[in-house]
Amino acid sequence: MRIAIIGAGAAGCFAAINIKRKAADAEITVFESGRKPLAKVAVTGGGRCNITNSFEHVKSMAAVYPRGHRLMERLFHMFDNKDTCRWFEAEGVRFVTQEDGCVFPKSQDAMEIVGTLARLMNNMGIRLITGHRITRIEKAGNDNGNGFRIYAGDSETPYYTDIAVVTTGGCPKAGMLDMLAPIGVKTVSPVPSLFGLCLPGDNITALTGTVVENASVAIAGTKHRAEGDLLITHRGVSGPAILRLSSYAARTLHDNDYRVKLTINWMGAASEAEVQEELYAMAAQNPQKQISNIYPTRLNARLWTHLLLRCGIKPEQRWSELARKSYNKLTNVLTNSTFDVDGRNKFKEEFVTCGGVALSNVNPNTLECKSCPGLFFAGEVLDVDALTGGFNLQAAWTMGYVVAEKNNFSAEL
């Protein structure tokens, strides 16, 4: 049996190895458009490879998989984060888990993961062809199977395969899914996810490097909101809170051309009443102190001064001189600062998209295409994506394993 895997990323390589373990006689070829396999794995986690997450701090799958959480809940019964660690540990990799739940190789080197997968593929005789972008997949037989014709680049000479597993990853451009057009697979237009937000012209960017822990952020006029640490950058805002928000609101932001109103509660989950009570308490304890010198412990002096000026309060004023109207303005700025977003920033080397192959196409137990037997999908090419923190890689390991484990590739067609 010939099996073609299109995409040598985490899902593709993991699927290839696990299929070969079940079907030793299968002739497996992995096609990769780039020069090297597992390129994204090599840079994830800042080159340390955030391979998965402990899920200890995860309240629900929907909280970390904005799209595809129901599918991931089902697939986790077959292969979860603990299974991932056991799988790699059996190959000699050791792991450490951070307080935030992120899991890394003990070596802190992504190339240990890349090397492990590459070594296994090589030792098992899995063929890897790089520099081949697949541009078209066609059925070679009827609707009941009989294989596929796969075309690379401008070549009209096809590669014939009995089984095709598409693991091309996220789609920065919708055209990357055009190869599926001949077989009529339904797709969801891909748009970016996980990015910082630009605040051009706002002088808050002068506070580059400032971090506020557990801030609360939202897109005004929508239900999209998130919490977490917030980082002010030279272009706008980023950090876990903003990355989560960009993931939850990925399609809304795209549909609005990344021009929306961002609201920030610098005081986290605190209400206006709670914040105003805190301000009155500070004033009562420090009536003769300058306002600029007494501020909430979660803020630093630079940000506090910026917020004072934002609501028209002179930093040199004393707390005893602050009028009730000024308390109201300051409370509002602390809990509901509003910024004009105009654009987005890519998050480091990582690129995640929402959208891709619609989940309605696939059998949720096997990831086989319902309308095209013998065609499978795994990884981010499906309309499944997650927050940063090892969740996207875990989805790739899970789906790659399920494709191999829940399908009989050892049988002759």
Side-chain angles (χ1 to χ4, degrees):
M1 176 181 288
R2 288 177 296 183
I3 300 174
I5 296 179
I6 304 169
C13 292
F14 205 62
I17 293 166
N18 285 290
I19 291 172
K20 191 66 174 178
R21 284 180 171 176
K22 284 194 66 181
D25 294 333
E27 180 185 308
I28 302 176
T29 302
V30 181
F31 295 91
E32 168 57 37
S33 63
R35 293 182 297 174
K36 294 181 180 180
L38 299 160
K40 193 170 180 179
V41 175
V43 300
T44 184
R48 297 186 297 141
C49 190
N50 186 184
I51 193 169
T52 186
N53 194 283
S54 69
F55 284 77
E56 292 178 2
H57 307 296
V58 176
K59 296 179 181 178
S60 69
M61 293 293 269
V64 292
Y65 291 100
R67 286 151 290 273
H69 68 274
R70 290 187 179 87
L71 176 65
M72 292 309 301
E73 285 174 355
R74 180 189 293 260
L75 298 182
F76 260 46
H77 290 299
M78 307 177 211
F79 193 86
D80 64 11
N81 56 304
K82 294 179 181 177
D83 294 317
T84 295
C85 291
R86 283 192 287 264
W87 194 97
F88 280 97
E89 284 169 349
E91 299 301 327
V93 181
R94 297 294 176 262
F95 296 105
V96 293
T97 303
Q98 296 183 166
E99 289 185 6
D100 61 1
C102 294
V103 179
F104 292 88
K106 191 173 182 179
S107 64
Q108 301 289 297
D109 186 1
M111 294 311 295
E112 182 179 10
I113 303 301
V114 172
T116 297
L117 296 173
R119 170 179 54 80
L120 288 169
M121 290 175 65
N122 183 63
N123 292 347
M124 299 171 92
I126 296 170
R127 187 184 181 197
L128 173 65
I129 301 178
T130 58
H132 274 58
R133 181 178 295 279
I134 302 304
T135 53
R136 194 161 85 250
I137 302 175
E138 297 176 346
K139 295 177 183 177
N142 55 38
D143 289 341
N144 293 319
N146 299 324
F148 303 89
R149 291 187 295 268
I150 297 175
Y151 297 85
D154 297 326
S155 174
E156 288 303 317
T157 302
Y159 174 89
Y160 290 91
T161 184
D162 300 306
I163 299 293
V165 184
V166 180
T167 58
T168 48
C171 306
K173 298 179 181 178
M176 293 177 65
L177 297 173
D178 289 348
M179 65 177 176
L180 301 172
I183 49 182
V185 173
K186 182 181 178 181
T187 61
V188 179
S189 178
V191 301
S193 180
L194 290 185
F195 46 80
L197 300 176
C198 295
L199 306 177
D202 198 297
N203 60 6
I204 197 169
T205 56
L207 306 180
T208 297
T210 297
V211 175
V212 178
E213 296 181 355
N214 297 317
S216 179
V217 296
I219 303 300
T222 75
K223 296 181 179 180
H224 301 305
R225 58 191 64 252
E227 294 182 359
D229 295 354
L230 182 146
L231 169 67
I232 299 174
T233 72
H234 68 290
R235 291 186 177 180
V237 284
S238 188
I242 298 298
L243 296 177
R244 288 171 188 157
L245 184 65
S246 75
S247 183
Y248 298 150
R251 201 159 291 283
T252 296
L253 288 164
H254 175 269
D255 292 346
N256 285 278
D257 198 26
Y258 305 99
R259 291 183 174 88
V260 296
K261 297 284 187 182
L262 170 71
T263 63
I264 300 176
N265 183 343
W266 302 100
M267 305 298 284
S271 67
E272 289 189 5
E274 290 169 331
V275 170
Q276 192 157 80
E277 183 178 345
E278 182 176 347
L279 293 176
Y280 281 132
M282 287 193 298
Q285 295 169 14
N286 305 278
Q288 299 307 311
K289 296 283 183 69
Q290 288 187 345
I291 297 175
S292 61
N293 293 330
I294 304 297
Y295 48 86
T297 55
R298 61 170 38 244
L299 308 179
N300 64 24
R302 293 175 67 210
L303 178 56
W304 175 246
T305 299
H306 172 87
L307 296 177
L308 290 175
L309 294 173
R310 200 174 187 93
C311 56
I313 297 175
K314 296 178 180 179
E316 64 272 15
Q317 265 188 276
R318 300 186 187 280
W319 276 104
S320 60
E321 300 170 346
L322 198 62
R324 180 177 293 275
K325 186 176 181 180
S326 294
Y327 276 106
N328 293 337
K329 286 183 179 180
L330 185 54
T331 299
N332 183 63
V333 166
L334 285 169
T335 60
N336 192 37
S337 288
T338 302
F339 299 89
D340 292 316
V341 174
D342 189 358
R344 62 181 177 85
N345 281 317
K346 182 179 174 183
F347 176 55
K348 297 183 179 180
E349 300 89 352
E350 307 200 26
F351 193 95
V352 175
T353 58
C354 79
V357 174
L359 298 185
S360 59
N361 288 287
V362 300
N363 180 324
N365 295 310
T366 64
L367 300 181
E368 184 173 21
C369 183
K370 294 176 181 177
S371 62
C372 192
L375 176 64
F376 298 83
F377 297 97
E380 204 186 327
V381 68
L382 286 166
D383 187 17
V384 176
D385 64 284
L387 307 184
T388 185
F391 303 109
N392 282 296
L393 268 184
Q394 181 56 54
W397 309 130
T398 293
M399 288 192 268
Y401 183 87
V402 167
V403 166
E405 187 65 22
K406 298 300 176 179
N407 298 285
N408 187 11
F409 294 125
S410 60
E412 292 293 335
L413 292 179

